[in-house]
């Protein structure tokens, strides 16, 4: 029992559990900053899962880029532009239970269907213990996926420009 | 191929085209010259044609202009040509149409001189002559129908010539719609005729009918039934055009048009087209004696009805309109009785004296500043001696006093009624009664309008035009002596001659009664309408107001036919229209639109602009797709 | 050493995905919708990494990196739009932005 807990497998399940719970807290939270922090927790837990699944490079990226950069962007935006208005105060309220209920129903139906499909696929494979290191990923990225990388860079550039354009102070009064 | 014959309708047609396209730029003098001279040429050409026809003894002239189209049906096909056919009957018609038409054009050119739309008026008149010539010259019934509709159109255009006034427009519409009923019946008759004979050529149809007549034992019941219906439907067309019962209501209202129009279209020519049609199709009618009987009875009833209605009129033109109806009743009676020649003869003489009456009435109305009410006339004999004397000539012809043209034609009709198979003593008495009524209303008209004291204050205005007077004088001469024109139509109606004459003994007093009847009417009127004659009769001034008793008003309105038709046809139709205001069938069609609209509304609800709804719809769609793939 | 079945990885992935989906559909606060979107993207990343690990291919991680760039760009644009929205409407209620209704 304890051996089971101590094994790396159980570590994966634990991280998964944390990720699910933290995600739930993100979705249901009222306080913006708390929700962001829960999101960080969720991302870190997922990073642990990545690591345990033999993808240390992805885990690192998850921590550095996702939790480190993107979430920091969130926090900055929330803090600097007053987006973090409390759900309990002037932020939009989710009082409509039926609204929530409809979403829940849809989500559960979707979940059940996905689980059935995965089950029907009869996947017998287990994950391999081998690590796919950053070198292999790099070869792939700058080999067959070079075009995708280029496109991703364009996407980032577009994101940058759009972010700058929309967020700049509206002083010129020119056309949007 | 006779070039003169072929070109006959084209003179007025060219004039029509010139006037209708360049009318606004032409001066009165030029427009009048064009239209009247085209009519003069037409009249001249028809005179030459008449001469040729009488000289050659050929009795028939044809002119094939062009092949129009080919009618085919189950049993074969028949060519429909634009082909003119001139025999005795159409010769009478073209001489009336072009001759009287020319005189009326001459009159109209002066009468309508001051009208703004003078050239349009003359253009329509010319177009009418074209259509009428096509009608009477047509070699086949399709071409005849073209002319038939053409004259109907011109009648409509000319009744509503002064279209700024609503009553004129309504009268034009009424005339058009009522005659349309007859025309529809005629069209059906023509289709039925084509179906049974396989021919629409008049000559061929007459020939076939004559064969059928001579082999009457061979004709089976079915074809006899067919011929009965054909004759009845053709009669429907004739009744509509000639304003006979029961489609007579449009003619009095048609007097809303200018007076030359009333003279040309609604007295002399167009309204006699029905008579022409029946005379033309006599072959068919001879095969259906029942229908001949109907024709006679319709004519007699119209004759009496119109005579009674004419007695109660206050408007000089409406008196003449009812008199026209009643005289056409005589013609119908003659046709129904088999007195073809007499009927056509009366058609001709009637055209002369009725055109004269209308034109003089027009001159009188003009002189009295467009006053048409008889009760506001009086004493015109002294004020307008020339017009009055011409009017008297017209009236004595109408009354058929011995020696006038009306006498010859009317006596010819009455003489053949008694012993006819399809008429008989009953109708003879009707005709005599009609003659009596004719003389009474003529006298009433004359006494009211021309004797006594003048009941108007304005000075008379006169058109001192020698041309106008010439046209009137020629018409008067024709009216007086038109009865002497020898009319020999034996070849046209040759088939009639084979009929065995009924050996009915005629009482010897028949002709005497017929001749003295108008005099009885005159004597009666002389005493009965004394107050009209001597308008200063003490204590009788009220008689010089129109009598507005219920019966008189009933008669004045044409014996209530308008009201009856309103109740019988117009009101139910309006009631139906009222019910169907929202157009039930349209609503059924609109159901589609409503259905599409429903979906539109539903889809608009989906397009609510709320992002979360869109996401939910995504989710739902994915769920459903996965669900489908699972099942 | 490890014997995590692929089945479990995919279950984890779909759980995360569904949770994110609930958040996106049910929340009215646009900021929370964005965060839920991050959760959903992550769930997809888990599935890719798991599959890459099973078949020992680097493609799974490459895909994850592409998702990462996508998330970065999306967050940048999304937050900028949020700032705009906050300025204009003084609210982050997504239901306020419904002018584009049919």
């Amino acid at each position: 029992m304890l051996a089971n807990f101590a094994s790396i497998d159980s570590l994966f399940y634990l991280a998964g559990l944390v990720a699910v719970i933290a995600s739930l807290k993100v979705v249901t939270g009222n306080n913006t900053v708390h929700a962001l922090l829960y999101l960080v927790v969720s991302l870190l837990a997922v990073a642990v899962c990545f690591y345990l699944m033999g993808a240390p490079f992805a885990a690192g990226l998850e921590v550095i880029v996702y939790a480190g950069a993107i979430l920091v962007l969130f926090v900055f935006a929330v803090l600097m532009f007053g987006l973090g208005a409390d759900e309990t105060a002037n932020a939009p309220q989710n009082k409509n239970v039926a609204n929530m209920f409809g979403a829940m129903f849809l989500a559960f139906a979707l979940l059940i269907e996905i689980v059935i499909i995965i089950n029907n696929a009869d996947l017998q494979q287990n994950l391999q213990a081998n690590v796919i290191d950053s070198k292999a990923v790099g070869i792939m990225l700058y080999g067959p996926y070079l075009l995708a990388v280029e496109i991703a860079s364009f996407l980032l550039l577009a994101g940058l420009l759009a972010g700058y354009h929309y967020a700049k102070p509206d002083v010129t009064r020119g056309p949007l | 191929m006779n070039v003169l014959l072929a070109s006959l309708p084209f003179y007025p047609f060219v004039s029509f085209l010139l006037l209708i396209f360049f009318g606004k730029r032409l001066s009165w003098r030029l427009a009048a010259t064009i239209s009247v001279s085209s009519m003069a040429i037409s009249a001249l050409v028809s005179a030459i044609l008449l001469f040729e026809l009488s000289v050659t003894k050929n009795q028939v002239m044809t002119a094939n202009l062009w092949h129009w189209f080919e009618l085919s049906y189950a049993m074969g096909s028949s060519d429909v040509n634009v082909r003119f056919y001139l025999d005795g009957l159409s010769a009478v018609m073209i001489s009336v149409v072009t001759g009287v038409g020319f005189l009326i054009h001459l009159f109209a050119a002066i009468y309508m001189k001051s009208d703004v739309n003078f050239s349009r008026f003359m253009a329509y008149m010319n177009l009418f002559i074209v259509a009428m010539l096509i009608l009477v010259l047509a070699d086949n019934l399709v071409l005849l129908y073209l002319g038939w509709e053409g004259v109907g159109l011109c009648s409509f255009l000319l009744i509503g010539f002064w279209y700024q006034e609503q009553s004129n427009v309504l009268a034009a519409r009424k005339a058009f719609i009522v005659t349309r009923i007859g025309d529809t019946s005629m069209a059906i008759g023509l289709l039925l005729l084509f179906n049974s004979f396989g021919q629409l050529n008049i000559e061929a149809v007459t020939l076939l009918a004559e064969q059928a007549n001579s082999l009457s034992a061979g004709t089976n019941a079915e074809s006899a039934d067919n011929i009965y219906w054909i004759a009845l439907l053709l009669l429907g067309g004739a009744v509509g055009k000639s304003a006979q019962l029961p489609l007579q209501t449009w003619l009095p209202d048609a007097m809303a048009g200018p007076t030359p129009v009333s003279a040309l279209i609604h007295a002399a020519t167009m309204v006699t087209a029905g008579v022409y049609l029946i005379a033309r199709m006599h072959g068919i009618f001879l095969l259906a004696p029942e229908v001949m009987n109907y024709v006679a009875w319709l004519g007699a009833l119209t004759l009496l009805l119109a005579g009674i209605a004419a007695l109660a009129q206050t408007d000089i033109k409406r008196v003449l309109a009812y008199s026209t109806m009643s005289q056409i009743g005589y013609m119908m009676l003659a046709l129904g009785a088999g007195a073809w020649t007499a009927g056509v003869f009366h058609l001709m003489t009637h055209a002369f004296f009725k055109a004269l009456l209308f034109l003089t009435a027009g001159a009188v109305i003009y002189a009295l500043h467009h006053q048409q009410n008889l009760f506001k006339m009086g004493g015109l004999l002294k004020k307008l001696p020339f017009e009055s004397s011409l009017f008297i000539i017209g009236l004595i012809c109408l009354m058929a006093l011995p020696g006038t043209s009306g006498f010859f034609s009317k006596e010819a009709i009455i003489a053949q009624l008694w012993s006819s198979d399809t008429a008989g003593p009953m109708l003879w008495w009707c005709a005599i009664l009609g003659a009596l009524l004719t003389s009474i209303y003529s006298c009433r008209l004359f006494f009211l309008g021309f004797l006594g004291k003048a009941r108007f204050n304005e000075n008379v205005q006169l058109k001192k035009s020698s041309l106008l007077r010439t046209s009137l004088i020629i018409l008067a001469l024709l009216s007086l002596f038109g009865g002497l024109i020898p009319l020999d139509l034996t070849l046209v109606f040759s088939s009639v001659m084979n009929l065995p004459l009924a050996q009915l003994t005629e009482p010897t007093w028949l002709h005497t009664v017929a001749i003295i009847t108008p005099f009885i009417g005159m004597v009666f009127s002389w005493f009965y309408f004394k107050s009209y004659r001597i308008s200063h009769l003490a204590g009788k001034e009220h008689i010089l107001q129109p009598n507005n008793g219920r019966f008189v008003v009933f008669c004045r309105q044409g014996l209530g036919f308008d009201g009856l038709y309103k109740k019988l046809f117009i009101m139910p139709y309006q009631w139906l229209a009222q019910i169907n205001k929202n157009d039930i069938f349209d609503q059924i069609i609109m159901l589609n639109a409503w259905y599409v609209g429903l979906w539109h509304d539903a889809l608009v609800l989906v397009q609510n602009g709320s992002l979360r709804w869109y996401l939910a719809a995504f989710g739902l769609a994915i769920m459903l797709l996965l669900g489908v793939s699972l099942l | 050493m490890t014997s995590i079945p692929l089945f479990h990885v995919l279950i984890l992935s779909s759980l995360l995905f569904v949770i994110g989906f609930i958040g996106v559909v049910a929340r009215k606060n646009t900021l929370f919708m964005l965060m839920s979107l991050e959760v959903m993207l992550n769930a997809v990343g888990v599935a890719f990494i798991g599959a890459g690990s099973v078949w020992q291919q680097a493609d799974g991680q490459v895909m994850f990196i592409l998702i990462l760039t996508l998330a970065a760009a999306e967050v940048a644009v999304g937050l900028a739009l949020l700032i705009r929205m906050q300025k204009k409407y003084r609210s982050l209620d997504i239901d306020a932005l419904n002018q584009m209704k049919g």
Side-chain angles (χ1 to χ4, degrees):
Chain A
M1 186 77 176
L2 192 69
N4 272 349
F5 272 120
S7 73
I8 294 174
D9 280 11
S10 54
L11 211 55
F12 172 82
Y13 293 118
L14 187 64
L17 191 64
V18 169
V20 169
I21 291 170
S23 298
L24 278 173
K25 291 297 282 185
V26 170
V27 169
T28 58
N30 274 344
N31 190 308
T32 315
V33 180
H34 289 183
L36 277 173
L37 292 176
Y38 275 120
L39 185 55
V40 173
V41 170
S42 167
L43 293 174
L44 290 177
V46 170
V48 170
C49 287
F50 284 175
Y51 186 79
L52 293 175
M53 285 191 291
F57 181 55
L61 282 179
E62 178 93 358
V63 173
I64 297 166
V65 179
Y66 237 130
I70 298 177
L71 263 294
V72 167
L73 185 61
F74 260 107
V75 173
F76 276 171
V78 167
L79 294 183
M80 290 178 70
F81 294 97
L83 299 180
D86 208 5
E87 282 276 298
T88 51
N90 58 351
Q93 301 287 312
N94 268 42
K95 289 273 162 59
N96 197 343
V97 181
N99 197 342
M100 203 72 175
F101 183 78
M104 297 283 266
F105 168 75
L106 264 181
F108 273 118
L110 209 53
L111 180 66
I112 289 165
E113 281 179 349
I114 292 170
V115 170
I116 290 172
I117 286 170
I118 296 168
N119 200 26
N120 286 356
D122 202 18
L123 297 165
Q124 296 299 325
Q125 291 96 331
N126 284 357
L127 268 61
Q128 305 278 323
N130 294 342
V131 170
I132 300 164
D133 56 1
S134 52
K135 185 181 171 189
V137 177
I139 289 169
M140 287 301 276
L141 268 181
Y142 292 99
Y145 286 99
L146 190 57
L147 191 62
V149 171
E150 286 298 327
I151 292 171
S153 71
F154 273 112
L155 184 67
L156 282 172
L157 180 64
L160 178 71
L161 289 176
Y164 166 72
H165 177 73
Y166 285 132
K168 74 180 174 190
D170 194 11
V171 285
T172 52
R173 287 274 165 213
L176 193 68
Chain B
M1 176 79 187
N2 189 316
V3 179
L4 280 179
L5 177 59
S7 67
L8 189 53
F10 287 95
Y11 309 114
F13 189 63
V14 169
S15 159
F16 160 72
L17 289 179
L18 284 175
L19 290 178
I20 206 77
F21 286 119
F22 307 109
K24 292 273 174 202
R25 287 175 227 161
L26 297 179
S27 64
W28 169 78
R29 184 170 295 277
L30 199 55
T33 310
I34 290 173
S35 57
V36 175
S37 61
S38 75
M39 282 308 298
I41 296 169
S42 290
L44 200 65
V45 168
S46 27
I48 296 170
L49 286 171
L50 279 180
F51 179 71
E52 277 185 33
L53 199 66
S54 60
V55 164
T56 52
K57 298 285 173 202
N58 197 9
Q59 294 298 343
V60 167
M61 284 157 83
T62 57
N64 198 355
L65 272 78
W66 66 82
H67 177 247
W68 193 1
F69 60 90
E70 189 178 320
L71 265 178
S72 23
Y73 74 124
M75 282 155 66
S77 64
S78 125
D79 278 337
V80 175
N81 294 320
V82 178
R83 184 162 177 269
F84 293 152
Y85 175 86
L86 186 75
D87 63 356
L89 179 58
S90 34
V92 172
M93 291 304 287
I94 62 164
S95 55
V96 168
V97 170
T98 57
V100 176
F102 164 62
L103 294 173
I104 293 173
H105 268 72
L106 194 59
F107 179 89
I110 294 149
Y111 184 81
M112 297 292 287
K113 184 174 179 179
S114 52
D115 199 283
V116 187
N117 290 313
F118 174 77
S119 56
R120 183 163 64 88
F121 179 78
M122 294 314 272
Y124 289 164
M125 294 279 274
N126 276 325
L127 183 64
F128 169 76
I129 296 287
V130 177
M132 194 70 203
L133 284 175
I134 290 174
L135 197 165
V136 298
L137 286 175
D139 155 74
N140 55 67
L141 287 163
V142 181
L143 194 58
L144 188 146
Y145 196 72
L146 176 75
W148 189 271
E149 293 298 317
V151 293
L153 170 73
C154 293
S155 163
F156 169 75
L157 290 173
L158 285 167
I159 295 169
F161 180 71
W162 288 316
Y163 55 84
Q164 282 93 345
E165 234 161 276
Q166 201 193 3
S167 62
N168 294 356
V169 177
L170 288 178
R173 204 176 67 184
K174 186 177 176 186
F176 199 67
I177 292 171
V178 174
T179 49
R180 203 76 10 229
I181 297 168
D183 293 357
T184 310
S185 144
M186 180 179 163
I188 298 170
L190 292 190
L191 296 177
L192 204 56
L193 181 70
F194 182 64
N195 205 27
S196 349
F197 284 82
Q199 278 290 351
L200 280 175
N201 189 302
I202 292 167
E203 244 179 312
V205 167
T206 311
L207 207 64
L208 283 172
E210 275 169 23
Q211 283 169 5
N213 202 12
S214 56
L215 305 167
S216 54
T219 53
N220 52 15
E222 194 209 4
S223 75
D225 207 36
N226 258 349
I227 285 168
Y228 172 78
W229 281 109
I230 292 165
L232 202 62
L233 288 165
L234 289 181
L235 173 63
V239 156
K241 203 54 118 195
S242 292
Q244 300 294 294
L245 269 173
L247 297 178
Q248 86 286 26
T249 56
W250 64 271
L251 188 59
D253 289 352
M255 294 301 130
T259 309
V261 173
S262 309
L264 178 63
I265 300 185
H266 304 119
T269 50
M270 187 193 84
V271 286
T272 56
V275 178
Y276 171 78
L277 178 74
I278 294 180
R280 191 37 101 199
M281 302 310 294
H282 65 277
I284 298 287
F285 280 87
L286 280 175
L287 288 180
E290 305 99 319
V291 181
M292 294 260 294
N293 199 8
Y294 299 160
V295 174
W297 272 107
L298 277 181
L301 285 177
T302 312
L303 161 66
L304 295 179
L305 180 140
I308 292 166
L311 275 176
Q313 299 303 314
T314 58
D315 183 327
I316 184 168
K317 282 181 76 179
R318 286 176 84 92
V319 177
L320 294 178
Y322 277 109
S323 136
T324 304
M325 267 161 69
S326 107
Q327 296 305 307
I328 296 168
Y330 266 118
M331 299 172 210
M332 286 290 184
L333 186 52
L335 298 178
W340 307 100
T341 311
V344 176
F345 191 33
H346 192 56
L347 187 162
M348 185 179 80
T349 56
H350 172 256
F352 296 148
F353 65 72
K354 194 47 69 68
L356 173 68
L357 280 172
F358 264 113
L359 293 187
T360 15
V364 166
I365 290 165
Y366 178 81
L368 297 184
H369 307 274
H370 297 283
Q371 178 58 264
Q372 303 193 5
N373 192 338
L374 278 171
F375 286 89
K376 296 191 174 149
M377 293 182 178
L380 292 174
L381 194 57
K382 283 175 199 150
K383 300 229 174 190
L384 301 167
F386 174 73
E387 279 81 1
S388 304
S389 49
L390 291 178
F391 205 81
I392 291 169
I393 292 173
L395 283 179
I396 61 171
C397 295
L398 177 62
M399 286 188 279
L401 295 190
T404 60
S405 63
F407 171 77
F408 289 110
S409 56
K410 206 183 266 181
E411 291 311 313
I413 292 172
I414 292 174
Q416 293 184 55
L417 285 178
W418 187 282
S419 55
S420 164
D421 278 344
T422 45
M426 242 334 235
L427 289 168
W428 186 85
W429 283 112
C430 283
I432 292 295
L433 192 57
L436 189 67
L437 283 171
T438 307
S439 78
I440 293 175
Y441 71 67
S442 305
C443 287
R444 173 178 174 271
L445 171 60
F446 183 67
F447 294 166
L448 263 178
F450 296 86
L451 296 182
K453 256 174 43 175
R455 293 183 289 277
F456 52 90
N457 300 321
E458 306 93 339
N459 289 324
V460 292
Q461 54 172 2
L462 273 175
K463 279 199 167 155
K464 293 233 185 281
S465 161
S466 54
L467 279 175
L468 193 136
R469 294 194 159 196
T470 314
S471 68
L472 289 178
I473 288 168
I474 296 173
L475 272 176
L477 290 176
L478 281 172
S479 307
L480 278 178
F481 305 113
L484 305 177
I485 297 172
L487 197 64
D488 185 14
L489 297 175
T490 40
L491 267 149
V492 178
F493 301 117
S494 54
S495 58
V496 188
M497 303 307 150
N498 303 335
L499 276 181
L501 276 170
Q503 297 303 314
L504 236 151
T505 48
E506 294 187 4
T508 45
W509 42 266
L510 278 185
H511 292 286
T512 326
V513 170
I515 290 167
I516 62 167
T517 307
F519 293 102
I520 297 172
M522 279 167 75
V523 172
F524 171 76
S525 317
W526 181 262
F527 294 108
Y528 188 77
F529 295 125
K530 192 175 182 182
S531 54
Y532 290 170
R533 216 156 33 86
I534 312 158
S535 46
H536 46 81
L537 209 63
K540 297 251 177 167
E541 284 84 4
H542 67 278
I543 291 180
L544 286 168
Q545 301 301 318
N547 185 349
N548 284 328
R550 281 182 74 171
F551 181 69
V552 175
V553 171
F554 176 72
C555 292
R556 188 173 301 151
Q557 289 164 353
L559 299 179
F561 273 92
D562 275 331
L564 182 68
Y565 290 161
K566 195 176 165 71
K567 285 228 164 53
L568 220 61
F569 300 112
I570 299 172
M571 276 163 63
Y573 184 78
Q574 282 177 339
W575 178 72
L576 273 177
Q578 189 71 26
I579 288 177
N580 199 15
K581 207 181 205 170
N582 293 325
D583 198 350
I584 293 159
F585 294 101
D586 196 40
Q587 292 301 309
I588 293 171
I589 305 298
M590 288 309 283
L591 210 62
N592 285 323
W594 173 82
Y595 182 70
V596 172
L598 196 73
W599 275 103
H600 166 256
D601 290 347
L603 291 173
V604 162
L605 281 183
V606 172
Q607 290 274 327
N608 57 3
S610 171
L611 189 64
R612 297 189 311 124
W613 272 107
Y614 296 170
L615 287 169
F618 272 166
L620 188 68
I622 292 168
M623 190 193 96
L624 290 177
L625 283 173
L626 287 180
V628 169
S629 71
L630 276 176
L631 290 174
Chain C
M1 164 181 92
T2 59
S3 57
I4 312 164
L6 179 58
F7 181 63
H8 292 176
V9 174
L10 291 180
I11 291 289
L12 174 65
S13 165
S14 47
L15 264 176
L16 285 175
F17 183 84
V18 165
I19 289 167
F21 181 74
I22 293 174
V24 172
V25 176
R27 296 303 294 249
K28 294 175 91 162
N29 191 330
T30 316
L31 190 66
F32 278 84
M33 288 174 75
L34 271 182
M35 288 195 274
S36 305
L37 217 53
E38 298 306 314
V39 174
M40 285 173 83
L41 286 169
N42 251 307
V44 179
V46 170
F48 270 119
I49 300 282
S53 172
V54 169
W55 284 286
Q56 286 293 301
Q57 298 289 330
D59 302 63
Q61 291 190 44
V62 171
M63 281 300 150
F64 174 72
I65 289 168
L66 293 180
I67 289 170
L68 204 67
T69 38
L70 174 74
E74 172 242 313
V75 165
V77 177
L79 281 175
L81 284 172
L82 243 62
I83 289 162
R84 193 99 190 155
M85 185 176 165
Q86 175 75 8
K87 273 184 198 159
K88 193 164 180 185
Y89 295 97
R90 300 268 148 228
S91 163
L92 290 179
D93 190 348
I94 190 70
D95 289 349
L97 303 178
N98 63 351
Q99 275 108 339
M100 288 185 72
K101 59 180 152 210

